[in-house]
């Protein structure tokens, strides 16, 4: 994901039933950022990754993460 400026970001990974699987929260820098996800404990299928700037009243970005076994 990309940021226009440095920001505190909340990244959550959810299964298709809406259950949160994992969370990463912290400062991220301006420009392109990456979050690594260990898929070893995930079932095969589609998951949703939600990326939201903390304290910003804006719609969070949602990305699909597909795990193939």
């Amino acid at each position: 994901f990309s940021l226009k400026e440095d920001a505190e970001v909340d990244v959550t990974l959810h299964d298709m039933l809406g259950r949160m699987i994992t969370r990463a929260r912290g400062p991220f820098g301006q420009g392109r950022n990456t979050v690594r996800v260990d898929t070893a404990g995930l079932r095969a299928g589609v998951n949703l990754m939600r990326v939201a700037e903390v304290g910003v009243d804006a719609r969070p970005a949602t990305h699909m993460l597909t795990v193939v076994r």
Side-chain angles (χ1 to χ4, degrees):
F1 63 94
S2 293
L3 295 172
K4 292 181 182 177
E5 57 189 34
D6 294 354
E8 178 91 6
V9 177
D10 188 35
V11 180
T12 54
L13 183 65
H14 301 264
D15 65 15
M16 291 306 289
L17 296 176
R19 297 178 292 209
M20 186 167 46
I21 297 168
T22 190
R23 179 183 211 165
R25 185 174 182 166
F28 288 86
Q30 177 184 5
R32 188 170 177 88
N33 292 275
T34 59
V35 175
R36 292 190 181 264
V37 177
D38 181 7
T39 61
L42 299 179
R43 293 181 182 175
V46 177
N47 298 281
L48 299 175
M49 182 176 291
R50 181 181 173 270
V51 180
E53 287 187 53
V54 175
V56 175
D57 189 27
R59 176 176 280 178
T62 303
H63 307 277
M64 288 190 341
L65 171 70
T66 303
V67 177
V68 179
R69 301 265 182 241

